[in-house]
PDB file of all heavy atoms in Angstrom:
ATOM      1  N   SER A 962      96.517  96.699 100.363  1.00 74.00           N
ATOM      2  CA  SER A 962      95.374  96.490 101.251  1.00 74.00           C
ATOM      3  C   SER A 962      94.866  95.054 101.162  1.00 74.00           C
ATOM      4  O   SER A 962      94.367  94.508 102.143  1.00 74.00           O
ATOM      5  CB  SER A 962      94.257  97.482 100.901  1.00 74.00           C
ATOM      6  OG  SER A 962      93.895  97.365  99.538  1.00 74.00           O
ATOM      7  N   GLU A 963      95.003  94.431  99.994  1.00 69.00           N
ATOM      8  CA  GLU A 963      94.545  93.056  99.814  1.00 69.00           C
ATOM      9  C   GLU A 963      95.424  92.050 100.554  1.00 69.00           C
ATOM     10  O   GLU A 963      94.998  90.956 100.895  1.00 69.00           O
ATOM     11  CB  GLU A 963      94.500  92.701  98.325  1.00 69.00           C
ATOM     12  CG  GLU A 963      93.427  93.442  97.542  1.00 69.00           C
ATOM     13  CD  GLU A 963      93.354  93.000  96.099  1.00 69.00           C
ATOM     14  OE1 GLU A 963      94.143  92.107  95.716  1.00 69.00           O
ATOM     15  OE2 GLU A 963      92.524  93.533  95.351  1.00 69.00           O
ATOM     16  N   GLU A 964      96.672  92.418 100.768  1.00 71.00           N
ATOM     17  CA  GLU A 964      97.611  91.489 101.389  1.00 71.00           C
ATOM     18  C   GLU A 964      97.766  91.687 102.896  1.00 71.00           C
ATOM     19  O   GLU A 964      98.525  90.970 103.546  1.00 71.00           O
ATOM     20  CB  GLU A 964      98.992  91.644 100.737  1.00 71.00           C
ATOM     21  CG  GLU A 964      99.018  91.279  99.261  1.00 71.00           C
ATOM     22  CD  GLU A 964     100.366  91.573  98.625  1.00 71.00           C
ATOM     23  OE1 GLU A 964     101.160  92.307  99.247  1.00 71.00           O
ATOM     24  OE2 GLU A 964     100.626  91.070  97.530  1.00 71.00           O
ATOM     25  N   LEU A 965      97.043  92.652 103.447  1.00 66.00           N
ATOM     26  CA  LEU A 965      97.268  92.997 104.853  1.00 66.00           C
ATOM     27  C   LEU A 965      96.996  91.835 105.813  1.00 66.00           C
ATOM     28  O   LEU A 965      97.584  91.770 106.894  1.00 66.00           O
ATOM     29  CB  LEU A 965      96.409  94.201 105.246  1.00 66.00           C
ATOM     30  CG  LEU A 965      96.949  95.549 104.751  1.00 66.00           C
ATOM     31  CD1 LEU A 965      95.988  96.663 105.093  1.00 66.00           C
ATOM     32  CD2 LEU A 965      98.314  95.828 105.342  1.00 66.00           C
ATOM     33  N   GLY A 966      96.139  90.938 105.407  1.00 52.00           N
ATOM     34  CA  GLY A 966      95.863  89.806 106.273  1.00 52.00           C
ATOM     35  C   GLY A 966      96.976  88.784 106.311  1.00 52.00           C
ATOM     36  O   GLY A 966      96.965  87.869 107.132  1.00 52.00           O
ATOM     37  N   LYS A 967      97.937  88.895 105.403  1.00 48.00           N
ATOM     38  CA  LYS A 967      99.025  87.920 105.322  1.00 48.00           C
ATOM     39  C   LYS A 967     100.383  88.572 105.586  1.00 48.00           C
ATOM     40  O   LYS A 967     101.402  88.178 105.024  1.00 48.00           O
ATOM     41  CB  LYS A 967      99.054  87.292 103.925  1.00 48.00           C
ATOM     42  CG  LYS A 967      97.734  86.686 103.503  1.00 48.00           C
ATOM     43  CD  LYS A 967      97.811  86.228 102.054  1.00 48.00           C
ATOM     44  CE  LYS A 967      96.486  85.695 101.581  1.00 48.00           C
ATOM     45  NZ  LYS A 967      96.518  85.288 100.165  1.00 48.00           N
ATOM     46  N   ILE A 968     100.387  89.609 106.414  1.00 41.00           N
ATOM     47  CA  ILE A 968     101.627  90.361 106.631  1.00 41.00           C
ATOM     48  C   ILE A 968     102.696  89.497 107.293  1.00 41.00           C
ATOM     49  O   ILE A 968     102.469  88.871 108.302  1.00 41.00           O
ATOM     50  CB  ILE A 968     101.355  91.607 107.510  1.00 41.00           C
ATOM     51  CG1 ILE A 968     100.510  92.606 106.735  1.00 41.00           C
ATOM     52  CG2 ILE A 968     102.662  92.244 107.967  1.00 41.00           C
ATOM     53  CD1 ILE A 968     100.146  93.826 107.528  1.00 41.00           C
ATOM     54  N   GLU A 969     103.853  89.461 106.685  1.00 41.00           N
ATOM     55  CA  GLU A 969     105.020  88.797 107.251  1.00 41.00           C
ATOM     56  C   GLU A 969     106.216  89.715 107.035  1.00 41.00           C
ATOM     57  O   GLU A 969     106.380  90.302 105.970  1.00 41.00           O
ATOM     58  CB  GLU A 969     105.297  87.463 106.553  1.00 41.00           C
ATOM     59  CG  GLU A 969     104.241  86.421 106.795  1.00 41.00           C
ATOM     60  CD  GLU A 969     104.539  85.139 106.040  1.00 41.00           C
ATOM     61  OE1 GLU A 969     105.589  85.102 105.371  1.00 41.00           O
ATOM     62  OE2 GLU A 969     103.735  84.217 106.130  1.00 41.00           O
ATOM     63  N   ALA A 970     107.048  89.845 108.032  1.00 36.00           N
ATOM     64  CA  ALA A 970     108.230  90.694 107.886  1.00 36.00           C
ATOM     65  C   ALA A 970     109.177  90.060 106.885  1.00 36.00           C
ATOM     66  O   ALA A 970     109.532  88.903 106.998  1.00 36.00           O
ATOM     67  CB  ALA A 970     108.931  90.857 109.231  1.00 36.00           C
ATOM     68  N   THR A 971     109.551  90.809 105.874  1.00 36.00           N
ATOM     69  CA  THR A 971     110.454  90.306 104.846  1.00 36.00           C
ATOM     70  C   THR A 971     111.572  91.306 104.599  1.00 36.00           C
ATOM     71  O   THR A 971     111.482  92.475 104.967  1.00 36.00           O
ATOM     72  CB  THR A 971     109.702  90.068 103.517  1.00 36.00           C
ATOM     73  OG1 THR A 971     109.148  91.309 103.088  1.00 36.00           O
ATOM     74  CG2 THR A 971     108.616  89.041 103.671  1.00 36.00           C
ATOM     75  N   GLN A 972     112.588  90.830 103.991  1.00 33.00           N
ATOM     76  CA  GLN A 972     113.716  91.694 103.619  1.00 33.00           C
ATOM     77  C   GLN A 972     114.083  91.375 102.192  1.00 33.00           C
ATOM     78  O   GLN A 972     114.361  90.247 101.853  1.00 33.00           O
ATOM     79  CB  GLN A 972     114.925  91.457 104.527  1.00 33.00           C
ATOM     80  CG  GLN A 972     116.102  92.320 104.184  1.00 33.00           C
ATOM     81  CD  GLN A 972     117.226  92.168 105.188  1.00 33.00           C
ATOM     82  OE1 GLN A 972     117.008  91.823 106.332  1.00 33.00           O
ATOM     83  NE2 GLN A 972     118.434  92.421 104.744  1.00 33.00           N
ATOM     84  N   THR A 973     114.032  92.371 101.354  1.00 36.00           N
ATOM     85  CA  THR A 973     114.298  92.177  99.944  1.00 36.00           C
ATOM     86  C   THR A 973     115.680  92.689  99.607  1.00 36.00           C
ATOM     87  O   THR A 973     116.034  93.811  99.952  1.00 36.00           O
ATOM     88  CB  THR A 973     113.251  92.938  99.093  1.00 36.00           C
ATOM     89  OG1 THR A 973     111.965  92.475  99.480  1.00 36.00           O
ATOM     90  CG2 THR A 973     113.474  92.705  97.617  1.00 36.00           C
ATOM     91  N   VAL A 974     116.441  91.867  98.948  1.00 40.00           N
ATOM     92  CA  VAL A 974     117.788  92.265  98.541  1.00 40.00           C
ATOM     93  C   VAL A 974     117.706  93.045  97.254  1.00 40.00           C
ATOM     94  O   VAL A 974     116.987  92.675  96.328  1.00 40.00           O
ATOM     95  CB  VAL A 974     118.686  91.015  98.336  1.00 40.00           C
ATOM     96  CG1 VAL A 974     120.076  91.433  97.897  1.00 40.00           C
ATOM     97  CG2 VAL A 974     118.748  90.216  99.629  1.00 40.00           C
ATOM     98  N   GLU A 975     118.394  94.158  97.198  1.00 41.00           N
ATOM     99  CA  GLU A 975     118.398  94.994  96.002  1.00 41.00           C
ATOM    100  C   GLU A 975     118.992  94.216  94.837  1.00 41.00           C
ATOM    101  O   GLU A 975     119.992  93.516  94.971  1.00 41.00           O
ATOM    102  CB  GLU A 975     119.238  96.243  96.250  1.00 41.00           C
ATOM    103  CG  GLU A 975     118.673  97.443  95.568  1.00 41.00           C
ATOM    104  CD  GLU A 975     119.411  98.715  95.947  1.00 41.00           C
ATOM    105  OE1 GLU A 975     120.268  98.671  96.822  1.00 41.00           O
ATOM    106  OE2 GLU A 975     119.105  99.734  95.333  1.00 41.00           O
ATOM    107  N   PRO A 976     118.363  94.270  93.648  1.00 39.00           N
ATOM    108  CA  PRO A 976     118.838  93.504  92.508  1.00 39.00           C
ATOM    109  C   PRO A 976     120.218  93.955  92.048  1.00 39.00           C
ATOM    110  O   PRO A 976     120.581  95.125  92.190  1.00 39.00           O
ATOM    111  CB  PRO A 976     117.783  93.809  91.431  1.00 39.00           C
ATOM    112  CG  PRO A 976     117.178  95.105  91.839  1.00 39.00           C
ATOM    113  CD  PRO A 976     117.208  95.112  93.329  1.00 39.00           C
ATOM    114  N   GLU A 977     120.959  93.003  91.509  1.00 41.00           N
ATOM    115  CA  GLU A 977     122.271  93.334  90.970  1.00 41.00           C
ATOM    116  C   GLU A 977     122.123  94.194  89.736  1.00 41.00           C
ATOM    117  O   GLU A 977     121.195  94.034  88.950  1.00 41.00           O
ATOM    118  CB  GLU A 977     123.013  92.050  90.579  1.00 41.00           C
ATOM    119  CG  GLU A 977     123.348  91.171  91.760  1.00 41.00           C
ATOM    120  CD  GLU A 977     124.085  89.927  91.313  1.00 41.00           C
ATOM    121  OE1 GLU A 977     124.425  89.845  90.119  1.00 41.00           O
ATOM    122  OE2 GLU A 977     124.316  89.054  92.149  1.00 41.00           O
ATOM    123  N   LYS A 978     123.061  95.100  89.557  1.00 39.00           N
ATOM    124  CA  LYS A 978     123.056  95.926  88.365  1.00 39.00           C
ATOM    125  C   LYS A 978     123.573  95.123  87.192  1.00 39.00           C
ATOM    126  O   LYS A 978     124.548  94.396  87.302  1.00 39.00           O
ATOM    127  CB  LYS A 978     123.921  97.173  88.568  1.00 39.00           C
ATOM    128  CG  LYS A 978     123.320  98.151  89.569  1.00 39.00           C
ATOM    129  CD  LYS A 978     124.143  99.407  89.643  1.00 39.00           C
ATOM    130  CE  LYS A 978     123.505 100.396  90.613  1.00 39.00           C
ATOM    131  NZ  LYS A 978     124.296 101.628  90.721  1.00 39.00           N
ATOM    132  N   LYS A 979     122.893  95.271  86.084  1.00 38.00           N
ATOM    133  CA  LYS A 979     123.296  94.522  84.902  1.00 38.00           C
ATOM    134  C   LYS A 979     124.529  95.158  84.273  1.00 38.00           C
ATOM    135  O   LYS A 979     124.663  96.376  84.257  1.00 38.00           O
ATOM    136  CB  LYS A 979     122.154  94.504  83.885  1.00 38.00           C
ATOM    137  CG  LYS A 979     120.942  93.754  84.391  1.00 38.00           C
ATOM    138  CD  LYS A 979     119.840  93.807  83.362  1.00 38.00           C
ATOM    139  CE  LYS A 979     118.677  92.942  83.790  1.00 38.00           C
ATOM    140  NZ  LYS A 979     118.074  93.356  85.025  1.00 38.00           N
ATOM    141  N   PRO A 980     125.435  94.351  83.743  1.00 37.00           N
ATOM    142  CA  PRO A 980     126.615  94.910  83.089  1.00 37.00           C
ATOM    143  C   PRO A 980     126.227  95.675  81.835  1.00 37.00           C
ATOM    144  O   PRO A 980     125.261  95.340  81.160  1.00 37.00           O
ATOM    145  CB  PRO A 980     127.436  93.662  82.728  1.00 37.00           C
ATOM    146  CG  PRO A 980     126.438  92.559  82.663  1.00 37.00           C
ATOM    147  CD  PRO A 980     125.407  92.885  83.691  1.00 37.00           C
ATOM    148  N   ALA A 981     126.970  96.713  81.551  1.00 35.00           N
ATOM    149  CA  ALA A 981     126.683  97.538  80.371  1.00 35.00           C
ATOM    150  C   ALA A 981     127.019  96.788  79.097  1.00 35.00           C
ATOM    151  O   ALA A 981     127.959  96.021  79.025  1.00 35.00           O
ATOM    152  CB  ALA A 981     127.501  98.827  80.428  1.00 35.00           C
ATOM    153  N   ALA A 982     126.182  97.001  78.087  1.00 34.00           N
ATOM    154  CA  ALA A 982     126.475  96.422  76.779  1.00 34.00           C
ATOM    155  C   ALA A 982     127.519  97.276  76.085  1.00 34.00           C
ATOM    156  O   ALA A 982     127.936  98.306  76.584  1.00 34.00           O
ATOM    157  CB  ALA A 982     125.195  96.338  75.957  1.00 34.00           C
ATOM    158  N   SER A 983     127.941  96.867  74.907  1.00 32.00           N
ATOM    159  CA  SER A 983     129.103  97.503  74.296  1.00 32.00           C
ATOM    160  C   SER A 983     128.778  98.511  73.208  1.00 32.00           C
ATOM    161  O   SER A 983     129.584  99.364  72.899  1.00 32.00           O
ATOM    162  CB  SER A 983     130.015  96.424  73.704  1.00 32.00           C
ATOM    163  OG  SER A 983     129.297  95.640  72.776  1.00 32.00           O
ATOM    164  N   ILE A 984     127.568  98.440  72.622  1.00 38.00           N
ATOM    165  CA  ILE A 984     127.278  99.287  71.468  1.00 38.00           C
ATOM    166  C   ILE A 984     125.869  99.873  71.579  1.00 38.00           C
ATOM    167  O   ILE A 984     124.955  99.214  72.048  1.00 38.00           O
ATOM    168  CB  ILE A 984     127.358  98.481  70.145  1.00 38.00           C
ATOM    169  CG1 ILE A 984     128.697  97.769  70.035  1.00 38.00           C
ATOM    170  CG2 ILE A 984     127.145  99.370  68.940  1.00 38.00           C
ATOM    171  CD1 ILE A 984     128.755  96.779  68.896  1.00 38.00           C
ATOM    172  N   ILE A 985     125.722 101.103  71.148  1.00 43.00           N
ATOM    173  CA  ILE A 985     124.397 101.690  71.018  1.00 43.00           C
ATOM    174  C   ILE A 985     123.995 101.582  69.554  1.00 43.00           C
ATOM    175  O   ILE A 985     124.685 102.082  68.678  1.00 43.00           O
ATOM    176  CB  ILE A 985     124.388 103.172  71.438  1.00 43.00           C
ATOM    177  CG1 ILE A 985     124.825 103.313  72.887  1.00 43.00           C
ATOM    178  CG2 ILE A 985     123.017 103.781  71.247  1.00 43.00           C
ATOM    179  CD1 ILE A 985     124.940 104.733  73.352  1.00 43.00           C
ATOM    180  N   THR A 986     122.861 100.929  69.299  1.00 47.00           N
ATOM    181  CA  THR A 986     122.461 100.744  67.905  1.00 47.00           C
ATOM    182  C   THR A 986     121.334 101.686  67.498  1.00 47.00           C
ATOM    183  O   THR A 986     121.040 101.809  66.323  1.00 47.00           O
ATOM    184  CB  THR A 986     121.976  99.301  67.677  1.00 47.00           C
ATOM    185  OG1 THR A 986     120.872  99.046  68.546  1.00 47.00           O
ATOM    186  CG2 THR A 986     123.080  98.312  67.964  1.00 47.00           C
ATOM    187  N   ASN A 987     120.693 102.342  68.462  1.00 49.00           N
ATOM    188  CA  ASN A 987     119.505 103.112  68.146  1.00 49.00           C
ATOM    189  C   ASN A 987     119.798 104.565  67.789  1.00 49.00           C
ATOM    190  O   ASN A 987     120.505 105.248  68.498  1.00 49.00           O
ATOM    191  CB  ASN A 987     118.543 103.085  69.330  1.00 49.00           C
ATOM    192  CG  ASN A 987     117.264 103.811  68.984  1.00 49.00           C
ATOM    193  OD1 ASN A 987     116.464 103.312  68.218  1.00 49.00           O
ATOM    194  ND2 ASN A 987     117.095 104.985  69.536  1.00 49.00           N
ATOM    195  N   LYS A 988     119.240 105.008  66.664  1.00 58.00           N
ATOM    196  CA  LYS A 988     119.371 106.409  66.262  1.00 58.00           C
ATOM    197  C   LYS A 988     118.012 106.979  65.885  1.00 58.00           C
ATOM    198  O   LYS A 988     117.933 108.027  65.253  1.00 58.00           O
ATOM    199  CB  LYS A 988     120.330 106.527  65.075  1.00 58.00           C
ATOM    200  CG  LYS A 988     121.775 106.155  65.409  1.00 58.00           C
ATOM    201  CD  LYS A 988     122.676 106.339  64.203  1.00 58.00           C
ATOM    202  CE  LYS A 988     124.116 105.962  64.534  1.00 58.00           C
ATOM    203  NZ  LYS A 988     125.010 106.082  63.362  1.00 58.00           N
ATOM    204  N   THR A 989     116.945 106.288  66.248  1.00 75.00           N
ATOM    205  CA  THR A 989     115.609 106.690  65.818  1.00 75.00           C
ATOM    206  C   THR A 989     114.735 107.189  66.956  1.00 75.00           C
ATOM    207  O   THR A 989     113.532 107.337  66.781  1.00 75.00           O
ATOM    208  CB  THR A 989     114.907 105.499  65.134  1.00 75.00           C
ATOM    209  OG1 THR A 989     114.875 104.395  66.050  1.00 75.00           O
ATOM    210  CG2 THR A 989     115.617 105.096  63.862  1.00 75.00           C
TER     211      THR A 989
END
């Protein structure tokens, strides 16, 4: 509602998926 006065048509590109890491270290 605060930004309604500045409306501009935009297109947002979906972020790239991060590559998976190799090891799970958490057991807690």
Side-chain angles (χ1 to χ4, degrees):
S962 56
E963 292 184 0
E964 296 175 345
L965 283 176
K967 306 174 183 178
I968 292 178
E969 293 178 2
T971 60
Q972 180 174 334
T973 303
V974 179
E975 216 173 353
E977 294 180 7
K978 291 185 178 179
K979 295 178 174 61
S983 57
I984 306 170
I985 300 176
T986 59
N987 183 73
K988 294 182 180 178
T989 57

